[in-house]
């Protein structure tokens, strides 16, 4: 599928940035049992995250970054979840599935050495979403990334989860709860 150049550039930038972490503004955290609810009124979304995780809105290129606590002093990498909100260009009117191949191609071009393990269509709160599972080596650490892309109207969102390769199953329940808690306001 041939994606218009301006849309391809936008998607490239957003997907790569969400993999590499990032920043944003206006948030509210509210406690709900073992999870806290985070609300970003500027980017019009809410998401719940584990109560013992911290959030950071000062990173570049993401709306919010959630960090897991260190499990021990030997913990070399703390798992994280990012949310990146972005305005879609007026030309982005096709169903999400139409951009899948272009997104995967862009990820591979922008992040040499990254391996796409699989992709699947899912639904988050009645919205179609695309989930992409990736593996890469960064700073001599083998990582797994799970990216979930959701479009609604003029907005797009990338939810990213990153952990040490081989530990995705350990966090599967948490990732599912966080992902399924995502709502566009």
């Amino acid at each position: 599928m041939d994606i218009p150049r301006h849309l391809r550039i936008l998607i490239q930038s957003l997907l790569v940035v969400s993999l590499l972490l990032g920043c944003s503004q206006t948030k509210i955290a509210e406690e709900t049992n073992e999870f806290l609810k985070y609300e970003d009124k500027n980017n019009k979304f809410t998401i719940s995250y584990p109560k013992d995780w911290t959030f950071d809105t000062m990173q570049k290129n993401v709306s919010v970054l959630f960090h897991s606590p260190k499990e021990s002093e030997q913990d070399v990498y703390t798992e994280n979840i990012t949310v990146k909100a972005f305005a879609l260009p007026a030309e982005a009117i096709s169903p999400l599935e139409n951009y899948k191949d272009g997104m995967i191609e862009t990820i591979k071009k922008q992040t040499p050495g990254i391996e796409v393990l699989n992709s699947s269509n899912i639904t988050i709160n009645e919205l179609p979403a695309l989930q992409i599972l990736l593996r890469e080596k960064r700073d001599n650490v083998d990582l797994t990334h799970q990216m979930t892309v959701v479009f609604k109207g003029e907005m797009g969102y990338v939810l990213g989860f990153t952990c040490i390769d081989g530990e995705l199953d350990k966090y599967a329940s948490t990732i599912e709860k966080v992902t399924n808690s995502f709502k566009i306001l």
Side-chain angles (χ1 to χ4, degrees), residues 96-98 100 119-124 127-132:
L96 181 61
E97 178 64 25
N98 291 355
K100 175 178 154 181
S119 64
S120 57
N121 296 321
I122 63 170
T123 302
I124 299 174
L127 292 174
L130 174 64
Q131 201 161 70
I132 305 170

Side-chain angles (χ1 to χ4, degrees), residues 3 21-22 27 46 58 65 90 108 126 139 143 146 156 162 181:
I3 298 176
L21 304 180
K27 309 77 191 144
T46 64
M58 301 308 289
L65 167 68
K108 287 179 178 180
E126 300 179 19
D139 300 326
L143 300 173
Q146 180 177 295
T162 304
S181 75

Side-chain angles (χ1 to χ4, degrees), residues 59-73:
Q59 297 296 311
K60 291 183 181 180
N61 303 315
V62 296
S63 302
V64 64
L65 167 68
F66 301 99
H67 273 289
S68 70
K70 280 190 163 218
E71 294 177 9
S72 71
E73 288 303 314

Side-chain angles (χ1 to χ4, degrees), residues 8 16 21-22 24 29 34 36 40-41 53 58 65 72 77 90 94 98 104 114 118 120-121 131 144 171 181:
R8 188 172 61 246
V16 169
L21 304 180
S24 190
E34 73 223 32
L36 299 176
D40 185 330
K41 291 182 181 182
W53 289 38
M58 301 308 289
L65 167 68
S72 71
Y77 188 86
S94 295
N98 291 355
I104 291 172
I114 200 159
N118 67 45
S120 57
N121 296 321
Q131 201 161 70
T144 297
Y171 294 96
S181 75

Side-chain angles (χ1 to χ4, degrees), residues 12-13 22 31 52-53 60 62 80 92 109 133 136 154:
Q12 288 173 346
S13 301
E31 191 169 337
D52 58 343
W53 289 38
K60 291 183 181 180
V62 296
N80 65 73
K109 284 181 183 174
L133 189 60
E136 75 164 325
E154 297 174 356

Side-chain angles (χ1 to χ4, degrees), residues 22-36:
C23 149
S24 190
Q25 50 269 14
T26 318
K27 309 77 191 144
I28 299 168
E30 166 188 306
E31 191 169 337
T32 57
N33 293 333
E34 73 223 32
F35 283 78
L36 299 176

